Amino acid sequence: MTAQIIDGKAFAERLRDKVGTVAADFAKRAGRKAGLAVVLVGADAASEVYVRSKGRATLVANMASFEHRLPADTAQGDLLALVERLNADPAVDGILVQLPLPQGLDEQTIISAISPDKDVDGFHVTNAGRLAVGQEGFVPCTPLGCMMLLTDRLGDLSSLNAVVIGRSNIVGKPMAQLLLDANATVTIAHSRTKDLADVVRRADIVVAAVGRPEMVRGDWIKPGATIIDVGINRLPPEEGAEKGRLVGDVAFTEASEHAGAITPVPGGVGPMTIAVLLRNTLVAAYRNEGIALPDGAL
Ligand code: GUN
C-alpha cells in the first residue's frame, strides 16, 4: 500500500483564505480589524522566523498585527506590565507570547497573566480546563489543526483507536482530549510506555509529537492507518551541505508503505498552526465584540 499524502499546506491555505474573507466581514461590522499581538522576548533565531511569518500572515488575512519585541534581559515585571496593557487594549483580540522565554522569566506566570479570552494559543489553565470539561474556550493551535486534518480525511472518528505519542501540555494532552471528544478510543503513550511498537500497531490513528527524529518505524503501522506527524526535527548536515534535512517523528518512507494516509514533514501539520492561530484570533474578535460569528464560517 502507498499512503495518500495529507496536504496540510494546501488545507492551511484554504483555511487562511476563509479566515481572510470572514475577517473582512468582521472589520465591516465592528468598524475595526481583528487584532493579534505577538510578544517576542530576546532574539532566538527560530522564534524570529515564526514571529515574522505570523505577522505577515495576520496582515494578509485582513487583520491587524501588533508586534512587541523586548530585550532578552527584560524583567518579569515589565513583561507582565506589557501583558496587562494588551489585556486592556480593545484593539487587541488575541495575545501570543512566543515561547520559549529567555531564562529568568517564568512561562507559567506570564501565560497565567494573559486574559483567557485573549489567550488564542489556548495555553492558559482556564482554557485547558474548559477543554477538559467540554466548555467553549481556546484550543491550542497545533492539536486543533491536526484534528481538522483528521476529520477532513476520516469524517466520523467514533470507534477508531487513536494513539497519541507525547504528553505535552501544548500538543499531546489537548490532542488526546480532542480525540476523546470525537468519540475515538484514546491511548496516550510517552517515553516510559512499554512495547510502544505494539501499542502503535493497534492504532487506526497515530499522532506523533515527541520530537525524536523518525522514531516511529514503518512496521509499527497498522495497514491503512492515518498518521499525523507533528515532529519537526533537523538532522545533522550531510557532507558538503550547510543544513541537515527536516524530518518528522515518523520514518516517512517506511510508514508510507503501510499507512492509508500520512502528513509529510515539512508541509503537513506545520502550516496548520499559523492558520489555526488566525482562526482563533478571529473567533476571539467576534466574541470580544459580542457579534455572532456567521454560521459555519470557520
Ligand atoms: N513557540 C513555538 N510555537 C509556538 C506557539 O504555537 N505558540 C507560542 N506561544 N510559542 C511558540
Side-chain angles (χ1 to χ4, degrees), residues 152-172:
D152 181 60
R153 159 103 197 145
L154 297 170
D156 184 10
L157 308 188
S158 295
S159 84
L160 295 179
N161 285 329
V163 171
V164 179
I165 314 174
R167 55 176 158 181
S168 70
N169 291 334
I170 290 173
V171 182

Side-chain angles (χ1 to χ4, degrees), residues 231-256:
I232 302 178
N233 311 287
R234 196 173 286 284
L235 294 179
E238 284 168 28
E239 236 183 69
E242 204 170 295
K243 275 187 181 176
R245 251 178 350 111
L246 282 182
V247 297
D249 293 346
V250 178
F252 179 82
T253 309
E254 285 175 21
S256 300

Side-chain angles (χ1 to χ4, degrees), residues 25-86:
D25 168 78
F26 173 83
K28 241 193 295 174
R29 293 167 68 183
R32 68 170 182 89
K33 288 184 173 181
L36 173 65
V38 175
V39 180
L40 175 61
V41 188
D44 177 71
S47 293
E48 284 274 359
V49 175
Y50 283 137
V51 167
R52 225 174 304 133
S53 47
K54 278 171 197 161
R56 254 197 316 261
T58 307
L59 298 179
V60 170
N62 298 317
M63 300 196 232
S65 170
F66 308 99
E67 276 182 31
H68 295 267
R69 289 163 186 272
L70 303 176
D73 62 357
T74 296
Q76 179 136 314
D78 292 340
L79 181 52
L80 287 171
L82 171 60
V83 169
E84 283 307 327
R85 262 198 290 133
L86 297 173

Side-chain angles (χ1 to χ4, degrees), residues 111-223:
I111 290 168
S112 297
I114 297 172
S115 160
D117 296 332
K118 295 191 176 187
D119 168 41
V120 286
D121 257 332
F123 292 171
H124 193 288
V125 287
T126 297
N127 282 315
R130 286 170 175 163
L131 178 60
V133 300
Q135 286 178 7
E136 203 168 83
F138 291 108
V139 176
C141 302
T142 300
L144 186 51
C146 293
M147 204 60 198
M148 288 177 180
L149 295 177
L150 278 170
T151 49
D152 181 60
R153 159 103 197 145
L154 297 170
D156 184 10
L157 308 188
S158 295
S159 84
L160 295 179
N161 285 329
V163 171
V164 179
I165 314 174
R167 55 176 158 181
S168 70
N169 291 334
I170 290 173
V171 182
K173 286 182 202 164
M175 187 74 233
Q177 198 73 59
L178 289 168
L179 287 162
L180 192 59
D181 289 347
N183 301 314
T185 300
V186 184
T187 303
I188 306 177
H190 47 78
S191 55
R192 307 278 178 90
T193 296
K194 237 173 58 174
D195 302 327
L196 180 60
D198 285 338
V199 173
V200 172
R201 277 187 193 109
R202 291 196 290 273
D204 305 300
I205 294 168
V206 180
V207 180
V210 269
R212 290 182 52 192
E214 301 180 320
M215 187 191 77
V216 177
R217 307 311 308 186
D219 65 351
W220 299 11
I221 306 294
K222 178 176 174 179

